[in-house]
Amino acid sequence: MKFLNSVVSFLLVLFVIAMLYIFYIFTLADTQEYSFKEYKPPLTTQIFDRKGRLVANIFEQNRFYATYEEFPPRLIEALIAIEDTSFFEHNGINIDAIFRAIIKIVKSGGKTMEGASTLTQQFIKNTELTPERTLSRKIREALLAYKLENILSKEEILERYLNFIFFGHGYYGVKTAAQGYFHKNLNELTLKEIAMLVGMPKAPSSYDPTKHLDLSISRANNVIQRLFTLGWISKTEYDTAIKENPQIYDDTLTKNVAPYVVDEVLKQLSPKINDLKTGGYTIILNIDLDIQEMAQNALKFGYDEIIKRDKEANLNTLNGAMVVANHQNGDVLALVGGIDYAKSNYNRATQSARQPGSAFKPFVYQIALNLGYSPMSEVADISRIFENDNWKPKNLGNNFQGLITLKQALERSRNLATINLTLDIGIDVVYSKLKTMGFQNMPLDLSIVLGSFGISPLEFAQFYTMFGNYGAIKELQIIKEVLDKNGNLVLEFTSQEHRISEREQSFLMLDMMKGVVEKGTGRNAKIEGIEIAGKTGTTNKSVDAWFCGITPEIEALIWYGNDNNKPMRSIEGGARTAAPVFKEFLTQYLQKFPDTTKKFEVPDKVYKTLFKGNVEYYTPKSPLPRQNMQLNENEMIF
């Protein structure tokens, strides 16, 4: 009987060898296409703020690549111990294990198709072959594994395997899993953590420690036991590892802390980089996460205040947006496209086109100053009727103040004075100058000077840099640079500027806007100890409420309204709704950055003197009205 069994086994082995040879002949041609030299698994792209803090991960497969040199020796030992003890001895195929597996296959009538896979075969199975469980596929797997072993070193195979394999919870590659589950780099892992990781690929969902910690620990203990049985760890190491209970983190994969920003980054970069989500890029932003959080908190503060005033506000449509930028260099420091991204991912800071209302007036007044008007030049604040256009603009409060200065007109946001100033200059001239600044989609009529056209908060913020940047519109940039997976510079975003007026003429505008905050419609934005220039904006029936605030270092634009363009309550507007949000934000900002510049620089060619009892600024191009000037050379500052 024993002899008969030996003969049967011998014949079976001969049969297996013959079958292998036949399959080798028929499948050899099919394996020629595999060179294995190109290995480019999808890698995670990471987005960081200006201080190197993670903003978000973007990916198709969440994977961070690790070189073989990054793998701790214990990681390699644990993997080999539990998956393929003879890995460094075989040529990709474990012949003994294959014979045992084939015997099982034959005895089962071809129903069993498992076992005998080396690490090399496992890699081949997952990367090169289809998932069906057939004998022909098993043989192709073995042949390809043998071929791979003749092309790559053992270390290269392990590097590819450990970077490719799935570890559950959306983590691909051991480096990703270590950072995700344990918040550790590979060289910081304990033996128990290593054992948990190498035990996961067998059944990633079952051994995911965020879902089945008990199964994951049990599997890890089997790995540790195997290491001890092989004599690869000491009894002390064994005891310590068995007793350890690692801390497990259950993180979101994207870790996205600024989703409106990330959406805009993807929108800007996707046309420029084809493999943005798979190429393992590093994206550095100009965004500061501290300032981003301040803006989010301030915008929510203003939203809550509206709800307190209006218990019937439609929470499904009421929303807001905010942009914070450095007007000197064009860096966007914060961008908030809505109150709650989870409820609405529509980015109002970049996608919406809202009427700016009176927040647009400074651009009209800047045109006047550039043409030689002075802040003390007078304009008629009187009614106008435009019969042909069936348009009868009016001031807030329906009153008139007669002749007032340009500075007073801006401080009090007088619509009629602004319209009469435009008529004095010429609507065609104003329209042309606005086009030169870069404004588009404006109607060629007087309503434009009251901000009757649509513009996004981000685009409007770019135009507003003209004031803080002393006459030059600075191109706003959210992204600073993009690096490839090797750290090489791929894209760099620099801010261009477009000069509109001389520095001294823009300072006159800044000073007028300071008056808006000190004693005009923007008083609710005022903070003692720092100079603030700004302008409120409210459109008809309180559909839109704006405040655009400027300090010597930054600017912040705030908008509130309903997504469906329905009016808010009539009490809402730039002064009540948006200006306090700027104050809330700037208060937080000054606490974080107490050394920020507090006073605006006065350019050359700007002078000041007493005028009708007040100190007023003027320039050679915009002198004060001579008949009223009280010149005192001792008081003039150059």
Side-chain angles (χ1 to χ4, degrees), residues 327 356-363 410 439 455 457-474 476 509-510 513 533-537 546-550 555-557:
H327 45 61
S358 293
F360 185 70
K361 288 175 182 173
F363 297 96
L410 187 71
F439 287 105
I455 192 169
L458 179 61
E459 187 180 5
F460 202 35
Q462 178 164 297
F463 283 108
Y464 249 83
T465 61
M466 180 176 76
F467 306 118
N469 197 34
Y470 293 88
I473 296 174
K474 199 76 174 178
L476 291 185
M509 189 66 244
L510 265 180
M513 294 170 72
K535 186 66 187 77
T536 55
W546 294 80
F547 183 76
C548 307
I550 306 167
E555 66 179 37
L557 275 73

mmCIF file of all heavy atoms in Angstrom, residues 327 356-363 410 439 455 457-474 476 509-510 513 533-537 546-550 555-557:
data_model
loop_
_atom_site.group_PDB
_atom_site.id
_atom_site.type_symbol
_atom_site.label_atom_id
_atom_site.label_comp_id
_atom_site.label_asym_id
_atom_site.label_seq_id
_atom_site.Cartn_x
_atom_site.Cartn_y
_atom_site.Cartn_z
ATOM 1 N N HIS A 327 -2.849 92.837 0.213
ATOM 2 C CA HIS A 327 -2.945 93.677 -0.980
ATOM 3 C C HIS A 327 -1.586 94.122 -1.503
ATOM 4 O O HIS A 327 -1.498 94.659 -2.604
ATOM 5 C CB HIS A 327 -3.832 94.891 -0.717
ATOM 6 C CG HIS A 327 -3.568 95.576 0.590
ATOM 7 N ND1 HIS A 327 -2.366 96.147 0.923
ATOM 8 C CD2 HIS A 327 -4.372 95.765 1.676
ATOM 9 C CE1 HIS A 327 -2.432 96.674 2.124
ATOM 10 N NE2 HIS A 327 -3.636 96.457 2.614
ATOM 11 N N PRO A 356 -22.291 94.569 -6.189
ATOM 12 C CA PRO A 356 -21.562 95.154 -5.070
ATOM 13 C C PRO A 356 -22.227 96.380 -4.467
ATOM 14 O O PRO A 356 -21.831 96.835 -3.387
ATOM 15 C CB PRO A 356 -20.208 95.508 -5.669
ATOM 16 C CG PRO A 356 -20.490 95.745 -7.119
ATOM 17 C CD PRO A 356 -21.593 94.801 -7.477
ATOM 18 N N GLY A 357 -23.203 96.956 -5.142
ATOM 19 C CA GLY A 357 -23.872 98.133 -4.602
ATOM 20 C C GLY A 357 -22.892 99.272 -4.347
ATOM 21 O O GLY A 357 -21.962 99.519 -5.125
ATOM 22 N N SER A 358 -23.070 99.967 -3.226
ATOM 23 C CA SER A 358 -22.245 101.138 -2.929
ATOM 24 C C SER A 358 -20.794 100.795 -2.640
ATOM 25 O O SER A 358 -19.943 101.688 -2.609
ATOM 26 C CB SER A 358 -22.837 101.897 -1.737
ATOM 27 O OG SER A 358 -24.079 102.460 -2.088
ATOM 28 N N ALA A 359 -20.483 99.511 -2.429
ATOM 29 C CA ALA A 359 -19.091 99.116 -2.240
ATOM 30 C C ALA A 359 -18.272 99.385 -3.499
ATOM 31 O O ALA A 359 -17.033 99.384 -3.458
ATOM 32 C CB ALA A 359 -18.998 97.643 -1.856
ATOM 33 N N PHE A 360 -18.966 99.649 -4.617
ATOM 34 C CA PHE A 360 -18.286 99.937 -5.868
ATOM 35 C C PHE A 360 -17.894 101.413 -6.006
ATOM 36 O O PHE A 360 -17.037 101.760 -6.817
ATOM 37 C CB PHE A 360 -19.199 99.538 -7.045
ATOM 38 C CG PHE A 360 -18.570 99.679 -8.394
ATOM 39 C CD1 PHE A 360 -17.552 98.831 -8.805
ATOM 40 C CD2 PHE A 360 -18.984 100.672 -9.268
ATOM 41 C CE1 PHE A 360 -16.969 98.967 -10.054
ATOM 42 C CE2 PHE A 360 -18.410 100.817 -10.523
ATOM 43 C CZ PHE A 360 -17.405 99.951 -10.916
ATOM 44 N N LYS A 361 -18.496 102.265 -5.202
ATOM 45 C CA LYS A 361 -18.298 103.710 -5.368
ATOM 46 C C LYS A 361 -16.839 104.160 -5.289
ATOM 47 O O LYS A 361 -16.453 105.105 -6.007
ATOM 48 C CB LYS A 361 -19.124 104.468 -4.332
ATOM 49 C CG LYS A 361 -20.620 104.433 -4.602
ATOM 50 C CD LYS A 361 -21.412 105.089 -3.484
ATOM 51 C CE LYS A 361 -22.906 105.005 -3.738
ATOM 52 N NZ LYS A 361 -23.703 105.497 -2.597
ATOM 53 N N PRO A 362 -15.989 103.571 -4.446
ATOM 54 C CA PRO A 362 -14.606 104.048 -4.403
ATOM 55 C C PRO A 362 -13.896 104.056 -5.750
ATOM 56 O O PRO A 362 -13.017 104.895 -5.982
ATOM 57 C CB PRO A 362 -13.932 103.065 -3.428
ATOM 58 C CG PRO A 362 -15.034 102.667 -2.499
ATOM 59 C CD PRO A 362 -16.246 102.579 -3.376
ATOM 60 N N PHE A 363 -14.278 103.153 -6.648
ATOM 61 C CA PHE A 363 -13.632 103.120 -7.964
ATOM 62 C C PHE A 363 -14.039 104.346 -8.785
ATOM 63 O O PHE A 363 -13.234 104.886 -9.554
ATOM 64 C CB PHE A 363 -13.989 101.826 -8.688
ATOM 65 C CG PHE A 363 -13.497 100.605 -7.974
ATOM 66 C CD1 PHE A 363 -14.327 99.904 -7.122
ATOM 67 C CD2 PHE A 363 -12.190 100.174 -8.126
ATOM 68 C CE1 PHE A 363 -13.880 98.791 -6.442
ATOM 69 C CE2 PHE A 363 -11.725 99.054 -7.452
ATOM 70 C CZ PHE A 363 -12.574 98.363 -6.598
ATOM 71 N N LEU A 410 -18.805 110.163 -0.014
ATOM 72 C CA LEU A 410 -18.394 108.769 0.144
ATOM 73 C C LEU A 410 -18.666 108.280 1.565
ATOM 74 O O LEU A 410 -19.154 107.161 1.760
ATOM 75 C CB LEU A 410 -16.913 108.613 -0.183
ATOM 76 C CG LEU A 410 -16.424 107.160 -0.210
ATOM 77 C CD1 LEU A 410 -16.979 106.441 -1.431
ATOM 78 C CD2 LEU A 410 -14.902 107.089 -0.192
ATOM 79 N N PHE A 439 -12.757 95.977 -15.225
ATOM 80 C CA PHE A 439 -14.138 95.568 -14.975
ATOM 81 C C PHE A 439 -14.809 95.155 -16.283
ATOM 82 O O PHE A 439 -14.602 95.781 -17.323
ATOM 83 C CB PHE A 439 -14.924 96.702 -14.315
ATOM 84 C CG PHE A 439 -14.561 96.923 -12.875
ATOM 85 C CD1 PHE A 439 -13.781 98.016 -12.504
ATOM 86 C CD2 PHE A 439 -14.990 96.036 -11.892
ATOM 87 C CE1 PHE A 439 -13.443 98.231 -11.181
ATOM 88 C CE2 PHE A 439 -14.657 96.254 -10.566
ATOM 89 C CZ PHE A 439 -13.879 97.341 -10.203
ATOM 90 N N ILE A 455 -20.449 90.448 -9.743
ATOM 91 C CA ILE A 455 -19.026 90.158 -9.613
ATOM 92 C C ILE A 455 -18.834 89.234 -8.413
ATOM 93 O O ILE A 455 -19.578 89.320 -7.436
ATOM 94 C CB ILE A 455 -18.202 91.454 -9.452
ATOM 95 C CG1 ILE A 455 -16.704 91.177 -9.619
ATOM 96 C CG2 ILE A 455 -18.508 92.132 -8.126
ATOM 97 C CD1 ILE A 455 -15.857 92.450 -9.726
ATOM 98 N N PRO A 457 -16.960 87.715 -5.032
ATOM 99 C CA PRO A 457 -16.160 88.322 -3.959
ATOM 100 C C PRO A 457 -14.650 88.226 -4.197
ATOM 101 O O PRO A 457 -13.920 89.174 -3.907
ATOM 102 C CB PRO A 457 -16.590 87.531 -2.716
ATOM 103 C CG PRO A 457 -18.008 87.161 -3.005
ATOM 104 C CD PRO A 457 -18.026 86.850 -4.474
ATOM 105 N N LEU A 458 -14.177 87.103 -4.747
ATOM 106 C CA LEU A 458 -12.739 86.975 -4.988
ATOM 107 C C LEU A 458 -12.279 87.954 -6.059
ATOM 108 O O LEU A 458 -11.245 88.611 -5.909
ATOM 109 C CB LEU A 458 -12.395 85.545 -5.402
ATOM 110 C CG LEU A 458 -10.919 85.284 -5.706
ATOM 111 C CD1 LEU A 458 -10.038 85.550 -4.487
ATOM 112 C CD2 LEU A 458 -10.704 83.862 -6.215
ATOM 113 N N GLU A 459 -13.044 88.072 -7.127
ATOM 114 C CA GLU A 459 -12.683 89.012 -8.191
ATOM 115 C C GLU A 459 -12.753 90.450 -7.681
ATOM 116 O O GLU A 459 -11.892 91.280 -7.994
ATOM 117 C CB GLU A 459 -13.614 88.820 -9.386
ATOM 118 C CG GLU A 459 -13.218 89.641 -10.610
ATOM 119 C CD GLU A 459 -14.149 89.448 -11.776
ATOM 120 O OE1 GLU A 459 -15.171 88.743 -11.632
ATOM 121 O OE2 GLU A 459 -13.868 90.026 -12.852
ATOM 122 N N PHE A 460 -13.774 90.748 -6.890
ATOM 123 C CA PHE A 460 -13.923 92.091 -6.338
ATOM 124 C C PHE A 460 -12.758 92.406 -5.394
ATOM 125 O O PHE A 460 -12.260 93.533 -5.364
ATOM 126 C CB PHE A 460 -15.258 92.200 -5.611
ATOM 127 C CG PHE A 460 -15.757 93.609 -5.450
ATOM 128 C CD1 PHE A 460 -15.542 94.571 -6.421
ATOM 129 C CD2 PHE A 460 -16.465 93.979 -4.315
ATOM 130 C CE1 PHE A 460 -16.009 95.877 -6.283
ATOM 131 C CE2 PHE A 460 -16.946 95.278 -4.150
ATOM 132 C CZ PHE A 460 -16.707 96.221 -5.133
ATOM 133 N N ALA A 461 -12.340 91.405 -4.637
ATOM 134 C CA ALA A 461 -11.205 91.593 -3.729
ATOM 135 C C ALA A 461 -9.939 91.936 -4.502
ATOM 136 O O ALA A 461 -9.103 92.733 -4.042
ATOM 137 C CB ALA A 461 -10.982 90.329 -2.894
ATOM 138 N N GLN A 462 -9.789 91.354 -5.692
ATOM 139 C CA GLN A 462 -8.619 91.681 -6.505
ATOM 140 C C GLN A 462 -8.644 93.145 -6.920
ATOM 141 O O GLN A 462 -7.611 93.836 -6.851
ATOM 142 C CB GLN A 462 -8.566 90.777 -7.731
ATOM 143 C CG GLN A 462 -7.391 91.076 -8.660
ATOM 144 C CD GLN A 462 -7.141 89.958 -9.638
ATOM 145 O OE1 GLN A 462 -6.813 88.844 -9.250
ATOM 146 N NE2 GLN A 462 -7.298 90.241 -10.935
ATOM 147 N N PHE A 463 -9.785 93.643 -7.334
ATOM 148 C CA PHE A 463 -9.883 95.061 -7.696
ATOM 149 C C PHE A 463 -9.614 95.954 -6.478
ATOM 150 O O PHE A 463 -9.005 97.010 -6.603
ATOM 151 C CB PHE A 463 -11.254 95.367 -8.289
ATOM 152 C CG PHE A 463 -11.419 94.905 -9.712
ATOM 153 C CD1 PHE A 463 -12.222 93.820 -10.016
ATOM 154 C CD2 PHE A 463 -10.739 95.539 -10.743
ATOM 155 C CE1 PHE A 463 -12.367 93.390 -11.323
ATOM 156 C CE2 PHE A 463 -10.879 95.125 -12.054
ATOM 157 C CZ PHE A 463 -11.694 94.036 -12.342
ATOM 158 N N TYR A 464 -10.052 95.513 -5.319
ATOM 159 C CA TYR A 464 -9.887 96.322 -4.108
ATOM 160 C C TYR A 464 -8.425 96.452 -3.680
ATOM 161 O O TYR A 464 -8.086 97.344 -2.894
ATOM 162 C CB TYR A 464 -10.725 95.762 -2.958
ATOM 163 C CG TYR A 464 -11.870 96.671 -2.587
ATOM 164 C CD1 TYR A 464 -13.067 96.629 -3.292
ATOM 165 C CD2 TYR A 464 -11.758 97.592 -1.555
ATOM 166 C CE1 TYR A 464 -14.124 97.470 -2.982
ATOM 167 C CE2 TYR A 464 -12.801 98.441 -1.235
ATOM 168 C CZ TYR A 464 -13.985 98.383 -1.948
ATOM 169 O OH TYR A 464 -15.018 99.228 -1.634
ATOM 170 N N THR A 465 -7.545 95.589 -4.191
ATOM 171 C CA THR A 465 -6.125 95.736 -3.854
ATOM 172 C C THR A 465 -5.574 97.064 -4.341
ATOM 173 O O THR A 465 -4.546 97.539 -3.859
ATOM 174 C CB THR A 465 -5.282 94.598 -4.464
ATOM 175 O OG1 THR A 465 -5.397 94.626 -5.897
ATOM 176 C CG2 THR A 465 -5.724 93.240 -3.932
ATOM 177 N N MET A 466 -6.246 97.667 -5.311
ATOM 178 C CA MET A 466 -5.804 98.950 -5.858
ATOM 179 C C MET A 466 -5.656 100.009 -4.774
ATOM 180 O O MET A 466 -4.768 100.862 -4.842
ATOM 181 C CB MET A 466 -6.808 99.427 -6.909
ATOM 182 C CG MET A 466 -6.453 100.762 -7.554
ATOM 183 S SD MET A 466 -7.601 101.194 -8.860
ATOM 184 C CE MET A 466 -9.011 101.723 -7.905
ATOM 185 N N PHE A 467 -6.487 99.960 -3.746
ATOM 186 C CA PHE A 467 -6.453 100.990 -2.716
ATOM 187 C C PHE A 467 -5.340 100.716 -1.703
ATOM 188 O O PHE A 467 -4.517 101.590 -1.434
ATOM 189 C CB PHE A 467 -7.814 101.087 -2.034
ATOM 190 C CG PHE A 467 -8.934 101.289 -3.009
ATOM 191 C CD1 PHE A 467 -9.955 100.355 -3.135
ATOM 192 C CD2 PHE A 467 -8.970 102.410 -3.828
ATOM 193 C CE1 PHE A 467 -10.984 100.528 -4.045
ATOM 194 C CE2 PHE A 467 -9.995 102.605 -4.739
ATOM 195 C CZ PHE A 467 -11.002 101.655 -4.852
ATOM 196 N N GLY A 468 -5.277 99.530 -1.172
ATOM 197 C CA GLY A 468 -4.219 99.200 -0.213
ATOM 198 C C GLY A 468 -2.854 99.140 -0.845
ATOM 199 O O GLY A 468 -1.830 99.316 -0.164
ATOM 200 N N ASN A 469 -2.807 98.880 -2.161
ATOM 201 C CA ASN A 469 -1.546 98.790 -2.881
ATOM 202 C C ASN A 469 -1.214 100.093 -3.599
ATOM 203 O O ASN A 469 -0.413 100.127 -4.520
ATOM 204 C CB ASN A 469 -1.596 97.629 -3.890
ATOM 205 C CG ASN A 469 -0.234 97.215 -4.381
ATOM 206 O OD1 ASN A 469 0.757 97.272 -3.655
ATOM 207 N ND2 ASN A 469 -0.158 96.795 -5.631
ATOM 208 N N TYR A 470 -1.865 101.170 -3.187
ATOM 209 C CA TYR A 470 -1.544 102.514 -3.645
ATOM 210 C C TYR A 470 -1.560 102.655 -5.164
ATOM 211 O O TYR A 470 -0.591 103.065 -5.793
ATOM 212 C CB TYR A 470 -0.186 102.968 -3.094
ATOM 213 C CG TYR A 470 -0.189 103.166 -1.598
ATOM 214 C CD1 TYR A 470 0.092 102.107 -0.738
ATOM 215 C CD2 TYR A 470 -0.473 104.408 -1.031
ATOM 216 C CE1 TYR A 470 0.070 102.278 0.640
ATOM 217 C CE2 TYR A 470 -0.496 104.587 0.348
ATOM 218 C CZ TYR A 470 -0.228 103.516 1.174
ATOM 219 O OH TYR A 470 -0.261 103.697 2.535
ATOM 220 N N GLY A 471 -2.690 102.281 -5.752
ATOM 221 C CA GLY A 471 -2.900 102.579 -7.161
ATOM 222 C C GLY A 471 -2.647 101.456 -8.135
ATOM 223 O O GLY A 471 -2.899 101.619 -9.326
ATOM 224 N N ALA A 472 -2.159 100.298 -7.653
ATOM 225 C CA ALA A 472 -1.889 99.173 -8.550
ATOM 226 C C ALA A 472 -2.757 97.981 -8.146
ATOM 227 O O ALA A 472 -2.714 97.544 -7.000
ATOM 228 C CB ALA A 472 -0.415 98.790 -8.504
ATOM 229 N N ILE A 473 -3.534 97.460 -9.099
ATOM 230 C CA ILE A 473 -4.339 96.266 -8.844
ATOM 231 C C ILE A 473 -3.411 95.060 -8.844
ATOM 232 O O ILE A 473 -2.711 94.802 -9.818
ATOM 233 C CB ILE A 473 -5.435 96.102 -9.910
ATOM 234 C CG1 ILE A 473 -6.418 97.277 -9.836
ATOM 235 C CG2 ILE A 473 -6.164 94.780 -9.733
ATOM 236 C CD1 ILE A 473 -7.448 97.276 -10.945
ATOM 237 N N LYS A 474 -3.405 94.334 -7.762
ATOM 238 C CA LYS A 474 -2.523 93.180 -7.597
ATOM 239 C C LYS A 474 -3.292 91.901 -7.898
ATOM 240 O O LYS A 474 -4.362 91.661 -7.316
ATOM 241 C CB LYS A 474 -1.969 93.143 -6.170
ATOM 242 C CG LYS A 474 -0.722 92.287 -6.008
ATOM 243 C CD LYS A 474 0.494 92.984 -6.568
ATOM 244 C CE LYS A 474 1.759 92.200 -6.286
ATOM 245 N NZ LYS A 474 2.951 92.848 -6.863
ATOM 246 N N LEU A 476 -4.542 88.423 -7.493
ATOM 247 C CA LEU A 476 -4.623 87.584 -6.298
ATOM 248 C C LEU A 476 -4.291 86.134 -6.636
ATOM 249 O O LEU A 476 -4.763 85.590 -7.641
ATOM 250 C CB LEU A 476 -6.017 87.670 -5.676
ATOM 251 C CG LEU A 476 -6.386 89.013 -5.040
ATOM 252 C CD1 LEU A 476 -7.748 88.921 -4.358
ATOM 253 C CD2 LEU A 476 -5.330 89.459 -4.026
ATOM 254 N N MET A 509 -7.687 108.513 -1.834
ATOM 255 C CA MET A 509 -8.854 107.634 -1.772
ATOM 256 C C MET A 509 -8.872 106.849 -0.465
ATOM 257 O O MET A 509 -9.922 106.680 0.172
ATOM 258 C CB MET A 509 -8.817 106.670 -2.963
ATOM 259 C CG MET A 509 -10.070 105.853 -3.143
ATOM 260 S SD MET A 509 -11.467 106.893 -3.587
ATOM 261 C CE MET A 509 -12.504 106.646 -2.178
ATOM 262 N N LEU A 510 -7.706 106.353 -0.051
ATOM 263 C CA LEU A 510 -7.604 105.635 1.220
ATOM 264 C C LEU A 510 -8.066 106.512 2.373
ATOM 265 O O LEU A 510 -8.791 106.065 3.269
ATOM 266 C CB LEU A 510 -6.150 105.205 1.472
ATOM 267 C CG LEU A 510 -5.719 103.795 1.063
ATOM 268 C CD1 LEU A 510 -4.252 103.589 1.414
ATOM 269 C CD2 LEU A 510 -6.571 102.734 1.726
ATOM 270 N N MET A 513 -11.709 106.763 2.461
ATOM 271 C CA MET A 513 -12.306 105.530 2.966
ATOM 272 C C MET A 513 -12.052 105.357 4.467
ATOM 273 O O MET A 513 -12.842 104.686 5.149
ATOM 274 C CB MET A 513 -11.771 104.338 2.181
ATOM 275 C CG MET A 513 -12.201 104.343 0.717
ATOM 276 S SD MET A 513 -11.340 103.106 -0.294
ATOM 277 C CE MET A 513 -12.108 101.606 0.294
ATOM 278 N N ALA A 533 -9.493 101.543 6.472
ATOM 279 C CA ALA A 533 -10.246 102.153 5.375
ATOM 280 C C ALA A 533 -11.272 101.145 4.906
ATOM 281 O O ALA A 533 -11.039 99.932 4.972
ATOM 282 C CB ALA A 533 -9.313 102.534 4.234
ATOM 283 N N GLY A 534 -12.415 101.623 4.445
ATOM 284 C CA GLY A 534 -13.409 100.644 4.031
ATOM 285 C C GLY A 534 -14.609 101.268 3.363
ATOM 286 O O GLY A 534 -14.731 102.496 3.275
ATOM 287 N N LYS A 535 -15.487 100.397 2.909
ATOM 288 C CA LYS A 535 -16.716 100.864 2.268
ATOM 289 C C LYS A 535 -17.799 99.811 2.441
ATOM 290 O O LYS A 535 -17.555 98.619 2.249
ATOM 291 C CB LYS A 535 -16.498 101.132 0.771
ATOM 292 C CG LYS A 535 -17.721 101.754 0.096
ATOM 293 C CD LYS A 535 -17.999 103.152 0.614
ATOM 294 C CE LYS A 535 -19.309 103.728 0.075
ATOM 295 N NZ LYS A 535 -20.497 103.153 0.766
ATOM 296 N N THR A 536 -18.979 100.299 2.818
ATOM 297 C CA THR A 536 -20.152 99.436 2.907
ATOM 298 C C THR A 536 -20.823 99.344 1.547
ATOM 299 O O THR A 536 -20.613 100.185 0.678
ATOM 300 C CB THR A 536 -21.153 100.005 3.926
ATOM 301 O OG1 THR A 536 -21.466 101.359 3.545
ATOM 302 C CG2 THR A 536 -20.578 99.995 5.329
ATOM 303 N N GLY A 537 -21.646 98.325 1.390
ATOM 304 C CA GLY A 537 -22.420 98.192 0.165
ATOM 305 C C GLY A 537 -23.732 97.483 0.453
ATOM 306 O O GLY A 537 -23.732 96.420 1.085
ATOM 307 N N TRP A 546 -22.524 94.148 1.890
ATOM 308 C CA TRP A 546 -21.065 94.045 1.762
ATOM 309 C C TRP A 546 -20.367 94.943 2.786
ATOM 310 O O TRP A 546 -20.886 95.989 3.171
ATOM 311 C CB TRP A 546 -20.603 94.530 0.384
ATOM 312 C CG TRP A 546 -21.013 93.735 -0.802
ATOM 313 C CD1 TRP A 546 -22.218 93.768 -1.442
ATOM 314 C CD2 TRP A 546 -20.199 92.814 -1.535
ATOM 315 N NE1 TRP A 546 -22.209 92.924 -2.526
ATOM 316 C CE2 TRP A 546 -20.982 92.326 -2.607
ATOM 317 C CE3 TRP A 546 -18.887 92.352 -1.402
ATOM 318 C CZ2 TRP A 546 -20.493 91.407 -3.534
ATOM 319 C CZ3 TRP A 546 -18.404 91.439 -2.318
ATOM 320 C CH2 TRP A 546 -19.206 90.971 -3.372
ATOM 321 N N PHE A 547 -19.174 94.513 3.153
ATOM 322 C CA PHE A 547 -18.203 95.451 3.717
ATOM 323 C C PHE A 547 -16.834 95.056 3.194
ATOM 324 O O PHE A 547 -16.441 93.883 3.236
ATOM 325 C CB PHE A 547 -18.172 95.462 5.241
ATOM 326 C CG PHE A 547 -17.212 96.493 5.771
ATOM 327 C CD1 PHE A 547 -17.545 97.839 5.761
ATOM 328 C CD2 PHE A 547 -15.947 96.128 6.235
ATOM 329 C CE1 PHE A 547 -16.654 98.807 6.205
ATOM 330 C CE2 PHE A 547 -15.054 97.086 6.682
ATOM 331 C CZ PHE A 547 -15.412 98.431 6.677
ATOM 332 N N CYS A 548 -16.124 96.050 2.676
ATOM 333 C CA CYS A 548 -14.775 95.848 2.154
ATOM 334 C C CYS A 548 -13.833 96.672 3.019
ATOM 335 O O CYS A 548 -13.877 97.911 2.973
ATOM 336 C CB CYS A 548 -14.691 96.285 0.694
ATOM 337 S SG CYS A 548 -15.952 95.536 -0.370
ATOM 338 N N GLY A 549 -13.039 95.996 3.831
ATOM 339 C CA GLY A 549 -12.176 96.679 4.776
ATOM 340 C C GLY A 549 -10.701 96.520 4.443
ATOM 341 O O GLY A 549 -10.268 95.465 3.959
ATOM 342 N N ILE A 550 -9.934 97.578 4.707
ATOM 343 C CA ILE A 550 -8.511 97.605 4.370
ATOM 344 C C ILE A 550 -7.724 98.090 5.570
ATOM 345 O O ILE A 550 -8.070 99.109 6.184
ATOM 346 C CB ILE A 550 -8.242 98.541 3.173
ATOM 347 C CG1 ILE A 550 -9.123 98.172 1.980
ATOM 348 C CG2 ILE A 550 -6.770 98.527 2.779
ATOM 349 C CD1 ILE A 550 -9.132 99.225 0.883
ATOM 350 N N GLU A 555 -6.558 93.133 3.449
ATOM 351 C CA GLU A 555 -7.925 93.545 3.167
ATOM 352 C C GLU A 555 -8.836 92.345 3.390
ATOM 353 O O GLU A 555 -8.406 91.189 3.249
ATOM 354 C CB GLU A 555 -8.070 94.049 1.734
ATOM 355 C CG GLU A 555 -7.859 92.965 0.671
ATOM 356 C CD GLU A 555 -8.036 93.478 -0.743
ATOM 357 O OE1 GLU A 555 -7.650 94.618 -1.007
ATOM 358 O OE2 GLU A 555 -8.569 92.710 -1.578
ATOM 359 N N ALA A 556 -10.085 92.615 3.754
ATOM 360 C CA ALA A 556 -11.069 91.545 3.929
ATOM 361 C C ALA A 556 -12.392 92.011 3.342
ATOM 362 O O ALA A 556 -12.872 93.092 3.666
ATOM 363 C CB ALA A 556 -11.235 91.196 5.405
ATOM 364 N N LEU A 557 -12.970 91.193 2.458
ATOM 365 C CA LEU A 557 -14.257 91.494 1.847
ATOM 366 C C LEU A 557 -15.281 90.494 2.352
ATOM 367 O O LEU A 557 -15.052 89.280 2.304
ATOM 368 C CB LEU A 557 -14.171 91.435 0.317
ATOM 369 C CG LEU A 557 -13.682 92.722 -0.369
ATOM 370 C CD1 LEU A 557 -12.194 92.932 -0.145
ATOM 371 C CD2 LEU A 557 -14.000 92.697 -1.858
#
